[in-house]
Amino acid sequence: MSMKPPLMDLPIETAESGFYAGFSKNVAVISKIIIAVLVIWAVVFPESAGRVLNAINGFILANTAYWYVWIVALFVLLCVVLAIWPTAGRLKLGVEGDVPEFSNFSWFSMMFGAGIGVGMLTWAVAEPMYHFNNNPEVIKGLAEGGTAENVRNAYKWSFLHWGFGAWACYAIAGLSLAFFCYRRGLPLTMRSSLTPIFGKSLSGPLGALIDIVAVVATILGVAQTLGFGVEQFVAGLTRIGIGGLIGESGTANTMGIVVAIVVIMAASTMSALSGVGKGIKWLSNLNMGLSIFLLAFFLLFGSTFFGLQALVVGIWDYLIALPEMMFTVWRSDGVEDSVATKLEGWQGGWSVFYWAWWIAFAPFVGLFLARISKGRTIREFVLGAIFVPSLMCFVWFTWAGGTAIDLELTGGAGGAISGASDGDKIFAAVNFMLNDALGWIMSVIIVVLLMTYLVTTADSAVLIVNTINAAGDEGPKARPHIYFWGIALGAVVAALLIAGGHKAITTAMVIGAFPFSVVMVLQCFALIKAIWNDGKREEAGVATTADAAAPAE
């Protein structure tokens, strides 16, 4: 049986005129309705919305732990296989003659800033501090929380959540899009990544459904990130002397939330209007420069040796324990307050939550990675999108978080850092290390850095959502649609934060992530099938790229 060229034509109907000219009306309108209903529901009926969302969230978490744990393990394994598989690794994400649009520094800056930058500033200090006091080894009675011997466990589990698993989620989505869009010439939208499985049927309602799932997951995944960022932004503003934004609970009050959302979304919408090559690239380079400055501060003036030791030993412990950590699922034995019940609760609150978060974030980061990675090989993409960012996360966690832990252990912090809210911990650490004047200056720098990360994340999300709504066309970015999604994203964050705090955002995000997790598993099979068949096509002398073949009949 002769091999045929792959599918290289996937027509998607778009409006020819009117408000939605250039956009797929089904995807754009239904996505907007879903998000609008969620916002109105959360604002008008907060108790009802919270009750229903929590019930759905509880059902998903109680019944999908195995699913999330094992599919993220699948993503990691597949990325490793693609990098070392000769047939796959050498394939270019593009056609002959395509070269990378961005330098390695700009590529990495945009990838890191959009993918995880906001979370770094919150969790690089907060998560090691938490696991320093409590983790599975502590729950099992194998280690004592808050002691020096528990530092290694703290980093092993922190690295699990911010290492290969997180970036593999992004890489699978990005690789699938880049492969089919830039090699096949298919539209830069999520449905294109499933053409080896569903073929031209993706031109219709099935394809629209996949794109709608991606848009909703993107909005809710980015909302989760912005929710953490808003709390930290308000904490930073309070640290530098802007009062009235913190409530009695120590977290942002309604005024703080509204002020932060208005500032962030106004700046991000203006940046989105300028496109990837201008505003986002400039902001990404700025926040990378500020990140290097802040990290250098911890390297030079923090617990340098403690951080270096934590980095080297932590990576070793992480790699040795990774297979067990990636595949272990703890289930309750039905006995209240038992070790198994506590382990299940810990895993649901940390690992399962993170896997859902990264999957919800994957359509946004994946499409953005695809957009900035045209012309690179699969091997280059995987190594650049998984191993380098993971190492950067590890460095942040060990020097920023390690400094905080060391200050609590031996530096006399006395709970000044561990007692702060998660978003405020990094500010508490630098203010403890410096005098009042220098502490204020450093707090201002962190607030500016946080602002650039938040704006980069939000404006990238707006552009990505518009690209999906426009059937993969990066051209017709009509200003009203950019304004709408900028306002909608801010409204989702504000409405859910005001209605139920971080728990409400987390609940909505976990629900939105589940349908897209199914899409991502299908992307894995589609990618394997496509690469395998391309190898056979090359042996048979059949073209595999859009510049060398006519569309398949």
Side-chain angles (χ1 to χ4, degrees):
M1 181 178 177
S2 61
M3 293 292 296
K4 295 182 179 180
L7 178 66
M8 298 187 190
D9 180 35
L10 186 67
I12 301 174
E13 184 179 355
T14 57
E16 296 182 359
S17 61
F19 183 72
Y20 284 99
F23 287 82
S24 172
K25 289 185 67 174
N26 288 339
V27 177
V29 173
I30 295 175
S31 299
K32 289 178 179 179
I33 290 174
I34 292 172
I35 296 301
V37 168
L38 176 62
V39 172
I40 294 171
W41 188 29
V43 171
V44 179
F45 305 105
E47 292 184 4
S48 171
R51 185 170 59 252
V52 174
L53 290 175
N54 283 333
I56 299 173
N57 179 58
F59 177 82
I60 289 175
L61 291 180
N63 295 279
T64 60
Y66 283 104
W67 170 257
Y68 278 120
V69 169
W70 288 351
I71 65 171
V72 171
L74 166 67
F75 300 157
V76 173
L77 290 174
L78 179 58
C79 286
V80 172
V81 168
L82 291 177
I84 63 177
W85 181 12
T87 301
R90 62 180 172 77
L91 293 179
K92 181 182 288 189
L93 302 176
V95 298
E96 186 175 355
D98 281 344
V99 295
E101 178 181 357
F102 302 100
S103 68
N104 287 338
F105 182 81
S106 290
W107 180 53
F108 178 65
S109 298
M110 288 188 283
M111 178 171 57
F112 188 79
I116 224 159
V118 175
M120 268 297 91
L121 290 180
T122 299
W123 296 108
V125 175
E127 184 160 349
M129 287 291 295
Y130 180 92
H131 295 321
F132 171 61
N133 292 300
N134 187 46
N135 58 59
E137 277 75 20
V138 174
I139 295 172
K140 294 175 185 177
L142 302 176
E144 183 180 352
T147 61
E149 56 266 24
N150 197 40
V151 172
R152 292 178 67 166
N153 294 323
Y155 279 104
K156 179 177 71 174
W157 292 104
S158 296
F159 287 0
L160 171 68
H161 300 143
W162 294 81
F164 301 160
W167 291 94
C169 292
Y170 302 157
I172 290 297
L175 193 56
S176 298
L177 285 166
F179 185 90
F180 293 105
C181 298
Y182 296 134
R183 284 184 64 82
R184 304 282 198 258
L186 298 175
L188 185 62
T189 187
M190 207 58 62
R191 70 177 81 184
S192 297
S193 63
L194 300 183
T195 48
I197 299 176
F198 299 109
K200 286 193 173 182
S201 64
L202 291 168
S203 292
L206 177 61
L209 176 62
I210 291 168
D211 284 346
I212 291 167
V213 165
V215 169
V216 174
T218 297
I219 293 297
L220 297 179
V222 173
Q224 177 72 63
T225 300
L226 294 181
F228 286 131
V230 163
E231 286 285 357
Q232 189 168 37
F233 188 65
V234 170
L237 292 178
T238 302
R239 286 277 180 177
I240 62 178
I242 301 176
L245 306 179
I246 297 290
E248 295 180 1
S249 63
T251 58
N253 58 24
T254 300
M255 176 62 72
I257 292 170
V258 171
V259 168
I261 289 294
V262 169
V263 171
I264 293 165
M265 297 315 302
S268 64
T269 301
M270 295 305 296
S271 178
L273 289 170
S274 69
V276 174
K278 296 180 181 178
I280 295 176
K281 178 181 176 180
W282 185 85
L283 282 170
S284 295
N285 287 336
L286 173 63
N287 62 36
M288 181 55 66
L290 289 175
S291 295
I292 292 172
F293 172 81
L294 182 58
L295 184 58
F297 167 79
F298 283 111
L299 285 170
L300 295 175
F301 303 106
S303 303
T304 305
F305 179 74
F306 185 97
L308 178 61
Q309 185 178 36
L311 176 64
V312 175
V313 176
I315 291 176
W316 171 261
D317 289 342
Y318 166 68
L319 293 175
I320 294 299
L322 185 59
E324 180 182 0
M325 292 191 298
M326 287 292 295
F327 286 97
T328 297
V329 179
W330 286 300
R331 303 305 295 169
S332 171
D333 56 9
V335 179
E336 189 175 352
D337 292 330
S338 68
V339 171
T341 302
K342 293 177 181 178
L343 288 171
E344 181 184 20
W346 181 92
Q347 189 171 48
W350 286 97
S351 299
V352 176
F353 157 73
Y354 269 124
W355 300 158
W357 186 10
W358 304 146
I359 288 170
F361 218 46
F364 153 56
V365 182
L367 202 151
F368 188 71
L369 287 184
R371 166 64 183 82
I372 64 176
S373 300
K374 183 179 180 181
R376 299 182 184 271
T377 66
I378 288 179
R379 182 174 295 112
E380 184 181 8
F381 180 92
V382 170
L383 294 176
I386 295 183
F387 297 106
V388 176
S390 293
L391 180 60
M392 189 67 176
C393 289
F394 298 163
V395 169
W396 265 97
F397 270 64
T398 49
W399 264 287
T403 295
I405 291 175
D406 192 39
L407 290 174
E408 289 287 357
L409 272 175
T410 62
I417 302 171
S418 61
S421 65
D422 289 337
D424 194 36
K425 280 184 168 62
I426 192 169
F427 294 103
V430 297
N431 277 274
F432 181 81
M433 295 167 63
L434 303 170
N435 61 37
D436 290 345
L438 291 177
W440 184 87
I441 292 173
M442 186 58 70
S443 294
V444 170
I445 291 173
I446 295 173
V447 168
V448 173
L449 173 58
L450 178 63
M451 180 71 176
T452 62
Y453 271 136
L454 288 168
V455 170
T456 303
T457 300
D459 63 9
S460 299
V462 170
L463 288 177
I464 293 313
V465 166
N466 262 335
T467 298
I468 297 174
N469 286 335
D473 187 350
E474 299 175 80
K477 299 299 182 290
R479 285 176 178 264
H481 298 283
I482 291 178
Y483 292 139
F484 174 87
W485 285 112
I487 294 170
L489 183 55
V492 168
V493 177
L496 292 175
L497 276 178
I498 293 170
H502 281 304
K503 184 178 180 181
I505 293 183
T506 299
T507 297
M509 179 274 295
V510 170
I511 294 171
F514 184 72
F516 191 71
S517 70
V518 178
V519 173
M520 287 191 66
V521 172
L522 293 175
Q523 285 180 328
C524 291
F525 290 104
L527 200 55
I528 293 171
K529 181 179 179 181
I531 293 173
W532 180 267
N533 286 339
D534 273 8
K536 291 184 176 181
R537 290 186 180 102
E538 288 185 352
E539 292 176 0
V542 177
T544 61
T545 57
D547 64 330
E553 295 298 329

